[in-house]
Structures are given as structure tokens and as C-alpha cells.
Amino acid sequence: MPTKPLPLIALVLIVPVALLTFFAVRSLSLENDALSVRRERLTKQHTDAAAALVLSRIQGLGAGVLAQTRAAYATGGVEALTNLTRKRVFIYAFVSKLETQIYSATSLEHQYEIARLLQDKAQALAAKLTAEQPTTATLIPYGGGFTLLRCSRGANVTDVCVAVDKSKVAHELRSGLGLAESSTGLTRVGLVDPNGVAMGLQAVDGSHVTTQSLEGLLQGWQLRVEERHSEDSA
């Protein structure tokens, strides 16, 4: 049987409904796109804030130990540095003036290989100091962790370098991650070192993971954040 054409009244009713449905779907799609852009922007802001917090903690650790060491040397000379060595304020200290070594000591007993490594690294790092760049730092991998080596040049061209033990570095990094979690609104914040070893990461079902490469002292590291969105907890 031939199909009967739709009555005019049916067409009049169907066309507006179809148009309304199209615009409703389109509006919902645009709204979802806007929410997605906003979510990505907020995640980027939170990730940048977390990266700055972690970096500031590790920089603060090195700056604090170096300031203590330089002050001790200024008031008590080599003897004061020897006392700090016994107290394990640092695991290695190096002092030079005009590229002439004045002091070099380590609290690492019978660990000659790492002591030699730290000495070589300190000499190389001190050689890079200038009036324009009087302070520099680097992280040195050893023994399954990282020691922080920081050097600075004083007004009298005396260079002081200190190496902070890997356990203190790890503690400060974890402290920075905890602070980032509590202050940025992120669910989890973790680090992945240049060797691929993760720190402070825990799997969270239904989370959204973002990874960001870090710069400066933590160049070669990655910050990984996990952020639970509102629809995941519904």
C-alpha cells in the first residue's frame, strides 16, 4: 500500500520539536566543552601551584643548610665546620677561594666512592659560580636516592658548597607533596624521578591524572597529580 503523506499539521508539529531537540543537544555540547576547558584550566593552575610548592621546599632545604654552614665558617672557621660535620648537618662540605681548596670534609665514614663523587661535583659546581650567578644547586643520584648539593659565592670570593643527605631530601620532597595536596585541592600529588621511580603516588579509582615535566632544580622529574572531579563522587 502506498504511504500516505503526513498531514500538514503533523509537519508543523514535528519540525519545531526537531529544531528544539537539535538546539538543546547543541547547547548541552557547548556547555560540556566549556566545563571541560574550565576543568583543564583549574587543573593546570593547581598543578603549577603544586610544582612551585615542592620546588620551594627543596630549595629552602639547601638554602638553610648552606646559610648555616657559611655562618659557622665565618665565625668559627674550619673548626666550626668540623663540628657541623660531626653533627651530620651535612654529609659533605667544601670551601675554596680563588679555586684553591681550603676545606673538604665528609660525615660519610668509609664511603670513599660517594665522598670522591661529591668532591668532584662540588668543585665543578663551584667553578660555575659568578657575580651574576652567586648560587647554584643540583641533585645527585646515589644509593637509590638523591643528595642535594648547593654552592654559593661570598663577597670575598669564598665559595662554600654543602651536600644534604638523601634521607633529608626525600623527607622534604614528601613534605612538599603533602603540603601541595592539602593546599591545592588536588586528590593526590606525586613525583617521578629521572629513573622512573615514583614518590607519594597512590592509585585512586575514578581519578583524572595529569603529568607535568618540571624545570630548574627538578629538571628531568615529573609531577603527577590526580584530581577527583565532582561527577566521580556522585
Side-chain angles (χ1 to χ4, degrees):
M1 294 178 63
T3 303
K4 294 182 179 180
L6 290 174
L8 181 60
I9 185 63
L11 290 175
V12 171
L13 292 174
I14 290 174
V15 171
V17 170
L19 288 175
L20 286 173
T21 302
F22 170 79
F23 286 118
V25 171
R26 179 59 177 165
S27 177
L28 181 61
S29 176
L30 291 174
E31 183 179 349
N32 288 336
D33 289 344
L35 287 174
S36 178
V37 170
R38 180 175 180 274
R39 179 183 297 159
E40 290 176 2
R41 184 171 62 251
L42 287 175
T43 299
K44 181 65 166 60
Q45 291 174 353
H46 292 161
T47 303
D48 288 345
L53 279 172
V54 174
L55 183 59
S56 68
R57 293 298 295 238
I58 196 67
Q59 288 176 332
L61 172 65
V65 174
L66 182 58
Q68 182 180 0
T69 304
R70 184 173 282 282
Y73 179 71
T75 57
V78 171
E79 184 177 351
L81 295 186
T82 302
N83 290 333
L84 293 182
T85 303
R86 294 195 186 102
K87 295 177 181 178
R88 295 185 66 87
V89 172
F90 47 72
I91 60 172
Y92 177 77
F94 172 83
V95 181
S96 67
K97 186 172 184 178
L98 299 175
E99 299 185 4
T100 300
Q101 180 175 307
I102 298 175
Y103 178 86
S104 177
T106 179
S107 61
L108 299 172
E109 297 180 0
H110 310 301
Q111 298 184 45
Y112 305 112
E113 185 176 346
I114 180 59
R116 181 62 184 178
L117 172 65
L118 292 175
Q119 181 177 349
D120 292 343
K121 293 288 187 180
Q123 290 175 337
L125 205 61
K128 297 179 180 179
L129 296 174
T130 63
E132 293 75 25
Q133 186 183 2
T135 303
T136 186
T138 187
L139 286 170
I140 302 171
Y142 89 92
F146 290 82
T147 184
L148 172 61
L149 180 65
R150 188 176 177 97
C151 301
S152 72
R153 173 164 294 177
N156 57 354
V157 201
T158 299
D159 300 332
V160 178
C161 299
V162 292
V164 183
D165 186 61
K166 61 183 180 181
S167 62
K168 293 182 179 179
V169 172
H171 173 78
E172 206 63 30
L173 287 174
R174 292 185 184 280
S175 176
L177 293 176
L179 181 61
E181 285 183 6
S182 64
S183 61
T184 61
L186 295 167
T187 304
R188 291 288 187 273
V189 183
L191 284 171
V192 180
D193 70 25
N195 298 321
V197 178
M199 173 187 293
L201 292 176
Q202 299 180 27
V204 179
D205 294 335
S207 63
H208 297 259
V209 179
T210 301
T211 300
Q212 178 172 305
S213 297
L214 300 177
E215 300 295 336
L217 184 56
L218 293 175
Q219 186 172 9
W221 293 61
Q222 289 187 332
L223 184 74
R224 183 184 178 194
V225 302
E226 298 175 332
E227 186 169 33
R228 187 181 295 277
H229 295 154
S230 58
E231 66 268 19
D232 297 324
S233 56

